[in-house]
Amino acid sequence: MQKSSFFLVLLFIIALCSCQNNADQNELVVIAGTGNSGFKDGVNSELFKPIRLSKYKDNSVLFADIFNHAIRIVNEDGEVTTIAGDPDKKGFANGNADTARFNSPHGVAYYEKTNKIYVASAKNHVIREISETNNGEFMVKTIAGIPEKKGYKDGSIDSALFSSPHGVLVRDDGALVVIDIGNAKLRLIKDGLVSTLAGKSDDDPVKVDFFYPIDITFDGNDILVADAGNHKLFRVNPGISVETILLMDTLSTPHGITVDNESNIYIADMGTNRILKIDKGGFFTTLVDSTMDTTQVSSLNKPAAVLYDKGYLWIADLDNHQLKRLKL
């Protein structure tokens, strides 16, 4: 074989391997859920509209399962375990996992320092805490808001009011940040008090053009907000400023938001059934586009949340009742 032909073949093999590696890297796989709505734990699990995600211990992921009214976890092998709630326990009740009740839980967060889970219990209009006892049982209690009473009021945690809280984060100091969608405000729970960080009223500490703020994530000390109603992203520096994140393209109902270690933003763009990566310059890369082929596993039906963790992007595929994962 002539040298030129040999090198052409070699280049072809390298290119083929490179394409295969990229395919492997960008393959979207189903981690949990059969695709049918239902309620079942284990490796052949059934979910019913998984909505929000959070990192949890032992490399697992915590998620809120709306219509099962449950808080659940999934490990890397796809095994699902329910911590509290189930479809037959819709309502409100505190207590141990067997008796606790939720109504459409949305936001979830995990605080590693105390081994506690926090839940934005949307239709209960409260923030809940799930703690684990020494014998491995889970206990649920309300830590802010008045159960079944929606409204807007700052002050002590037992008198403050929320209206359909959808997202919750835990700061390093243990304070909670809540996106209060019904009031279109960003709230803070700290030292037994609820206060407002940002909102659209003139008397809010930081005024911002929220319309339907639905998800939040940290980027350092900043809080990034996905606003599904006006198709924008906001960066809030609590107590100081807020800015609209400049984008080189348009969003359509951004419903989930997360960031990686380089401050790249990932969006579950529900209106277009796409997963997007946005760099610091505001430029878009489409990671998953369900309009291209709706017959494959890469097809998404209302992606609701994204979570970056250790080089992977987890996706809550709402109307396919599945959790999926993409290697970045």
Side-chain angles (χ1 to χ4, degrees):
M1 182 182 293
Q2 296 182 347
K3 285 187 176 180
S4 60
S5 298
F6 172 77
F7 283 117
L8 285 173
V9 172
L10 181 61
L11 288 173
F12 175 77
I13 293 173
I14 292 172
L16 184 63
C17 291
S18 176
C19 289
Q20 182 63 49
N21 288 338
N22 287 336
D24 291 343
Q25 183 182 44
N26 295 319
E27 182 183 4
L28 186 67
V29 297
V30 175
I31 300 296
T34 63
N36 298 315
S37 62
F39 182 72
K40 182 181 178 183
D41 281 349
V43 292
N44 295 312
S45 61
E46 291 184 343
L47 322 177
F48 199 171
K49 294 188 183 294
I51 186 73
R52 289 281 171 251
L53 308 166
S54 173
K55 297 177 186 179
Y56 192 53
K57 58 186 176 182
D58 301 325
N59 294 318
S60 61
V61 169
L62 180 72
F63 67 99
D65 199 358
I66 305 177
F67 282 6
N68 281 323
H69 311 289
I71 308 304
R72 311 174 79 180
I73 58 173
V74 59
N75 65 21
E76 292 182 307
D77 296 324
E79 183 177 4
V80 171
T81 303
T82 299
I83 290 177
D86 71 41
D88 296 326
K89 295 179 181 178
K90 177 183 178 181
F92 176 83
N94 289 322
N96 62 39
D98 291 333
T99 59
R101 294 174 180 262
F102 294 85
N103 189 349
S104 301
H106 277 59
V108 286
Y110 176 63
Y111 191 39
E112 186 177 4
K113 292 180 181 179
T114 59
N115 192 31
K116 291 182 178 179
I117 296 167
Y118 296 95
V119 180
S121 197
K123 289 193 176 181
N124 296 135
H125 309 294
V126 293
I127 307 301
R128 319 279 289 276
E129 177 187 276
I130 304 176
S131 57
E132 191 173 358
T133 64
N134 292 333
N135 60 5
E137 291 184 341
F138 290 97
M139 300 294 296
V140 179
K141 70 176 183 179
T142 300
I143 62 166
I146 300 176
E148 317 287 65
K149 183 177 181 180
K150 67 177 180 178
Y152 171 65
K153 182 182 178 183
D154 283 340
S156 65
I157 54 175
D158 57 355
S159 65
L161 295 175
F162 297 87
S163 180
S164 193
H166 266 54
V168 60
L169 300 173
V170 190
R171 296 194 321 198
D172 287 340
D173 63 358
L176 303 182
V177 178
V178 176
I179 195 68
D180 187 355
I181 194 170
N183 289 311
K185 295 182 188 294
L186 192 62
R187 316 281 294 276
L188 177 70
I189 305 172
K190 182 182 180 182
D191 298 331
L193 296 174
V194 177
S195 60
T196 296
L197 294 174
K200 63 189 305 178
S201 302
D202 289 336
D203 56 354
D204 286 326
V206 175
K207 187 176 181 180
V208 54
D209 183 30
F210 285 149
F211 181 62
Y212 206 67
I214 202 159
D215 196 21
I216 49 179
T217 192
F218 285 128
D219 184 18
N221 293 323
D222 292 345
I223 302 164
L224 305 187
V225 180
D227 193 321
N230 57 26
H231 317 293
K232 294 179 181 179
L233 307 180
F234 295 98
R235 179 181 296 275
V236 179
N237 187 340
I240 299 175
S241 65
V242 62
E243 63 179 20
T244 302
I245 297 176
L246 181 64
L247 304 175
M248 297 297 115
D249 204 336
T250 57
L251 298 172
S252 177
T253 317
H255 199 281
I257 186 169
T258 190
V259 298
D260 64 18
N261 299 331
E262 305 299 323
S263 293
N264 295 302
I265 301 171
Y266 299 86
I267 295 294
D269 200 48
M270 185 175 282
T272 61
N273 286 318
R274 293 184 301 165
I275 303 299
L276 305 171
K277 177 182 178 181
I278 304 173
D279 66 19
K280 294 178 182 178
F283 292 95
F284 284 40
T285 300
T286 299
L287 301 180
V288 181
D289 187 351
S290 296
T291 63
M292 301 301 292
D293 187 352
T294 59
T295 65
Q296 302 299 316
V297 68
S298 59
S299 173
L300 299 172
N301 191 356
K302 294 187 178 179
V306 280
L307 172 68
Y308 175 82
D309 186 29
K310 300 182 181 70
Y312 288 92
L313 193 69
W314 291 75
I315 300 165
D317 193 357
L318 187 75
D319 280 2
N320 279 328
H321 315 293
Q322 292 176 320
L323 299 180
K324 297 176 178 178
R325 193 174 70 179
L326 181 73
K327 185 175 181 180
L328 299 174

